[in-house]
C-alpha cells in the first residue's frame, strides 16, 4: 500500500492522535511522507509506540504496522519532536462543545502555542479540526506575534472521513480541500497531497474562510438529509406509505441523490451533533439565526423518541421487562459510542425500569465505561435470550443476516423493533415476530387496543 512520492516525502507533524489525527498520520506515512504524531495522552502514545491501535478502524492496524516498519511513522509525547523540522504541522485536536454549544478551542490554541515554541523551519500549520470560520486568522495572529522571526502560515484543510471507513476515505479522498492565503502555502499543500490526488482527484483551492465554512455546511447538510427522511418516515408511519420506496424514488433524482436518506433512529457520533450546535452558535454570533439547524437536531431527537415509543407500544408496561439492543456504537464498524442513539435509547429505557442487555461486536469496552448499567452479551443470540423485545440499533449487515427462527425461539416475547430497516418485514412476520420498522407499513403504530390485524 505504501508508496514513495518520488521526492522523499515531506516532514509532517500531527498534533492529536484521535480519529482524524491518527488516520491522517498513517495515510500520510503510507503515501511516503515522514510523520511524527504527538498527543497529551501518555497512555495513547505508549500504545501507539507499541503499534497498538487505540480504537477500532478497518485497515488501521495494517497501516500502523507498515508505517512503523518503514521508519516513516513514529509517535512521541514530546510535541517538540513532531514540530521541529516539520514542513507541515496538522492540528487534529478535539473541539468539543461548551455548555453554550460553541466549539471549545482551547486545545487548538494550545497546539498553536506549541508550534510557536518549537518550530525551527518555515512551516505550514494545517487546521484539520472542525473549527468556526475565523479560527485560522486567530491562529495566524497568535503565531505572528510569538514568532515574527519565522515564516509560519496557517491553512484550513478540513477532513471529510467517515468513521468505520476512515482509512479508505483518507487514502482515496473524494475531495481534498485547502484554504490558504499564499501561493507558497498552496504549493506546499500540493506537494503533500500530490500522491493522494494521483487518481484524478483534484485539490480544491480556496480562501481560508470558505474552507472552514464548507466543512460545517457539509456536515449540517448531511445531518439535514438524515433528519428530513426521518420526518418523512413519521408521515409514512401515519399514512401507510413506505419510506424505503419514498427514499429510493427521491434519490433517483440526481439533484437529490440516494445517499444519507436512510431513515432510522437518528444520527450520532462525534461530528454531526457537535458541529450542528457549533455552526448554529457561530451563525448566531454573526447575527444570523439559522433556525433550520436547531430543527434538524430536534427531528433527530424525535427519531429516537419514535424508536422508544415502538418499544413501549409493543411491551405496554416497561418496568422489569428485558430489552435487548443490538449495535451500541453510533454506527457499525466502529467502537465509538459518542452520541450513540443506542445508548440514548438505553438510558431512556433504564429510566423506565427496563433491564437493558446489549451486544456490539466492537464497542463493549467503551459501553462498559460509558453506561455500566447495560448488561453486555457476547453475541446477538445471547442478548436476545429471554428478552421481551429486540431492537436493531445500527445498520450492521450482520444483524440483517440473523436467524429469525432462532431469535423467535429465544425471545420471551417475539418482538423486533428494527431501528434501521434491516429486515424484510414480511420475512419477520412469517417467522412469527411482531415487527416494527421505521416508516414502513408493518411498523405503523396504531393506538393501543386496536385490532392486531390493523397493526400489520
Ligand atoms: C461524518 C461525515 O459523514 C464525514 O464526512 C465527516 O468527515 C465526519 O462526520 C466528521 O466531521 O469528522 P461520521 O460521523 O463518521 O462522518 O459518520 P456518518 O457515516 O456520516 O454517520 C453519521 C450518523 O448518521 C450515524 O449515526 C449514521 O447511522 C447516521 N445516518 C447516516 C443515518 O441515520 N442515515 C443515513 O442515511 C446516513
Amino acid at each position: 500500500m505504501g508508496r514513495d512520492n518520488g521526492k522523499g516525502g515531506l516532514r509532517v507533524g500531527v498534533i492529536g492522535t484521535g480519529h482524524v489525527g491518527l488516520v491522517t498520520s498513517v495515510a500520510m506515512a503510507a503515501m511516503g511522507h515522514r510523520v511524527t504524531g504527538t498527543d497529551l495522552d501518555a497512555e495513547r502514545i505508549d500504545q501507539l509506540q507499541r503499534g497498538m491501535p487505540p480504537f477500532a478502524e478497518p485497515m488501521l492496524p495494517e497501516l500502523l504496522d507498515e508505517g512503523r516498519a518503514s521508519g516513516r511513522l513514529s509517535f512521541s509525547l514530546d510535541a517538540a519532536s513532531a514540530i521541529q523540522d516539520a514542513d507541515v504541522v496538522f492540528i487534529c485536536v478535539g473541539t468539543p462543545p461548551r455548555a453554550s454549544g460553541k466549539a471549545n478551542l482551547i486545545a487548538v490554541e494550545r497546539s498553536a502555542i506549541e508550534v510557536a515554541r518549537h518550530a525551527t523551519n518555515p512551516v505550514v500549520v494545517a487546521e484539520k479540526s472542525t473549527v468556526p470560520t475565523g479560527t485560522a486568522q486567530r491562529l495566524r495572529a497568535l503565531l505572528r506575534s510569538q514568532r515574527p522571526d519565522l515564516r509560519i502560515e496557517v491553512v484550513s484543510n478540513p477532513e471529510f472521513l467517515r468513521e468505520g471507513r476512515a482509512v479508505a476515505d483518507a487514502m482515496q479522498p473524494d475531495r481534498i480541500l485547502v484554504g490558504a492565503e499564499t501561493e507558497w502555502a498552496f504549493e506546499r499543500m500540493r506537494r503533500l497531497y500530490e500522491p493522494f490526488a494521483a487518481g484524478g482527484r483534484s485539490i480544491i483551492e480556496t480562501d481560508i474562510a470558505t474552507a472552514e465554512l464548507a466543512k460545517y455546511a457539509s456536515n449540517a447538510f448531511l445531518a439535514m438529509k438524515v433528519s428530513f427522511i426521518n420526518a418523512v418516515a413519521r408521515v409514512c408511519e401515519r399514512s401507510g406509505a413506505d419510506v424505503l420506496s419514498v427514499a429510493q424514488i427521491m434519490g433517483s433524482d440526481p439533484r437529490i441523490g440516494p445517499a444519507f436518506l436512510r431513515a432510522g433512529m437518528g444520527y450520532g457520533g462525534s461530528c454531526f451533533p457537535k458541529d450542528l450546535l457549533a455552526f448554529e452558535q457561530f451563525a448566531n454570533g454573526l447575527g444570523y439565526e439559522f433556525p433550520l439547524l436547531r430543527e434538524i437536531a430536534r427531528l433527530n431527537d424525535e427519531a429516537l423518541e419514535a424508536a422508544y415509543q415502538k418499544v413501549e407500544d409493543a411491551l405496554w408496561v416497561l418496568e422489569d421487562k428485558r430489552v435487548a439492543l443490538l449495535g451500541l456504537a453510533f454506527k457499525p464498524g466502529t467502537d465509538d459510542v459518542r452520541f450513540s442513539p443506542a445508548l440514548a435509547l438505553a438510558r431512556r429505557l433504564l429510566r423506565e425500569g427496563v433491564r437493558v442487555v446489549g451486544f456490539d461486536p466492537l464497542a463493549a469496552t467503551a459501553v462498559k465505561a460509558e453506561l455500566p448499567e447495560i448488561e453486555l452479551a457476547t453475541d446477538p443470540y445471547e442478548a436476545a435470550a429471554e428478552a421481551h423485545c429486540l431492537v436493531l440499533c445500527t445498520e450492521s449487515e450482520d444483524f440483517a443476516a440473523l436467524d429469525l427462527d432462532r431469535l423467535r425461539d429465544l425471545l420471551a416475547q417475539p418482538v423486533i423493533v428494527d431501528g434501521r430497516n434491516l429486515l424484510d418485514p414480511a420475512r419477520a412476520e412469517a417467522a412469527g415476530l411482531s415487527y416494527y420498522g421505521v416508516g414502513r407499513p408493518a411498523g405503523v403504530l396504531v393506538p393501543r387496543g386496536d385490532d392486531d390485524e390493523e397493526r400489520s
Side-chain angles (χ1 to χ4, degrees):
M1 167 92 49
R3 157 148 83 101
D4 200 287
N5 64 9
K7 293 182 181 165
L10 295 183
R11 286 158 303 189
V12 177
V14 180
I15 305 179
T17 57
H19 241 97
V20 170
L22 184 53
V23 170
T24 300
S25 300
V26 299
M28 289 286 158
M31 289 300 191
H33 299 301
R34 281 161 290 151
V35 182
T36 306
T38 185
D39 203 295
L40 290 176
D41 182 342
E43 197 183 320
R44 173 156 296 198
I45 290 296
D46 179 58
Q47 262 182 307
L48 289 170
Q49 284 171 338
R50 287 185 286 127
M52 289 160 59
F55 47 80
E57 192 61 56
M59 282 160 63
L60 181 61
E62 291 83 348
L63 286 203
L64 198 53
D65 282 349
E66 192 182 297
R68 289 168 66 248
S70 70
R72 288 197 300 269
L73 178 62
S74 62
F75 298 95
S76 171
L77 195 53
D78 178 16
S81 54
I83 295 166
Q84 62 199 11
D85 299 328
D87 300 305
V88 177
V89 172
F90 283 107
I91 297 183
C92 301
V93 293
T95 53
R98 298 150 61 115
S100 63
K102 275 188 182 169
N104 184 339
L105 299 175
I106 186 169
V108 173
E109 183 188 49
R110 204 184 285 135
S111 305
I113 293 170
E114 291 288 340
V115 174
R117 190 173 292 154
H118 301 296
T120 53
N121 290 353
V123 60
V124 168
V125 173
E127 282 173 352
K128 262 205 188 298
S129 302
T130 304
V131 289
T133 302
T135 304
Q137 256 177 19
R138 294 277 189 177
L139 294 180
R140 190 184 49 192
L142 186 155
L143 290 161
R144 282 209 180 137
S145 71
Q146 299 203 0
R147 290 301 300 272
D149 59 308
L150 193 65
R151 183 169 201 168
I152 306 182
E153 291 211 15
V154 180
V155 305
S156 169
N157 175 216
E159 190 52 74
F160 296 102
L161 48 82
R162 294 158 291 179
E163 287 187 27
R165 38 170 311 142
V167 175
D169 282 350
M171 298 292 284
Q172 288 123 26
D174 56 12
R175 69 201 132 157
I176 299 162
L177 177 58
V178 177
E181 279 176 327
T182 67
E183 184 53 27
W184 180 79
F186 276 126
E187 185 46 35
R188 190 162 287 190
M189 295 304 280
R190 277 178 215 134
R191 275 183 61 199
L192 185 73
Y193 278 109
E194 196 183 296
F196 294 86
R201 280 164 218 96
S202 56
I203 301 177
I204 304 170
E205 296 182 358
T206 184
D207 61 274
I208 292 176
T210 302
E212 287 173 333
L213 196 68
K215 168 70 186 190
Y216 271 139
S218 296
N219 273 2
F221 194 84
L222 290 172
M224 181 181 72
K225 283 188 98 177
V226 176
S227 277
F228 186 89
I229 202 66
N230 282 331
V232 171
R234 301 288 82 76
V235 182
C236 287
E237 285 169 358
R238 287 160 175 78
S239 64
D242 184 338
V243 75
L244 285 186
S245 303
V246 174
Q248 198 180 14
I249 295 161
M250 286 170 62
S252 64
D253 180 336
R255 292 170 304 173
I256 297 174
F260 274 68
L261 287 179
R262 294 188 310 274
M265 287 167 48
Y267 57 78
S270 65
C271 303
F272 288 176
K274 158 179 89 70
D275 291 352
L276 267 184
L277 268 176
F279 193 22
E280 190 195 355
Q281 288 300 316
F282 173 63
N284 290 352
L286 297 172
Y288 184 67
E289 282 271 336
F290 217 157
L292 176 61
L293 298 177
R294 179 153 301 182
E295 184 59 12
I296 294 168
R298 192 194 65 77
L299 289 171
N300 198 49
D301 294 342
E302 189 182 270
L304 188 86
E305 184 61 20
Y308 168 80
Q309 281 184 356
K310 283 167 194 161
V311 177
E312 193 186 37
D313 181 70
L315 299 186
W316 183 37
V317 174
L318 288 175
E319 216 158 355
D320 278 340
K321 295 272 168 55
R322 185 176 167 89
V323 172
L325 307 183
L326 300 190
L328 303 171
F330 84 95
K331 66 175 190 181
T334 176
D335 56 356
D336 194 341
V337 297
R338 286 175 287 179
F339 289 94
S340 152
L343 292 199
L345 178 63
R347 285 195 184 91
R348 183 90 168 78
L349 292 167
L350 286 164
R351 273 207 307 275
E352 301 300 325
V354 171
R355 287 173 294 141
V356 178
V357 55
F359 166 74
D360 191 286
L362 299 169
T365 308
V367 172
K368 242 181 245 164
E370 180 76 20
L371 196 59
E373 294 88 337
I374 298 187
E375 188 186 316
L376 287 167
T378 51
D379 70 65
Y381 300 104
E382 186 189 318
E386 292 309 316
H388 298 87
C389 173
L390 183 76
V391 189
L392 305 181
C393 299
T394 57
E395 297 149 333
S396 163
E397 282 167 20
D398 292 345
F399 302 153
L402 287 170
D403 178 341
L404 298 182
D405 292 324
R406 192 170 161 202
L407 285 178
R408 182 207 50 233
D409 292 345
L410 285 166
L411 286 163
Q413 254 174 244
V415 178
I416 289 205
V417 172
D418 183 355
R420 299 288 173 182
N421 286 336
L422 290 169
L423 304 179
D424 173 0
R427 205 166 66 83
E429 303 265 345
L433 292 155
S434 293
Y435 177 85
Y436 294 75
V438 182
R440 313 200 67 190
V444 174
L445 287 180
V446 289
R448 256 171 235 132
D450 279 9
D451 277 347
D452 272 357
E453 260 174 48
E454 277 185 49
R455 199 170 285 241
S456 56

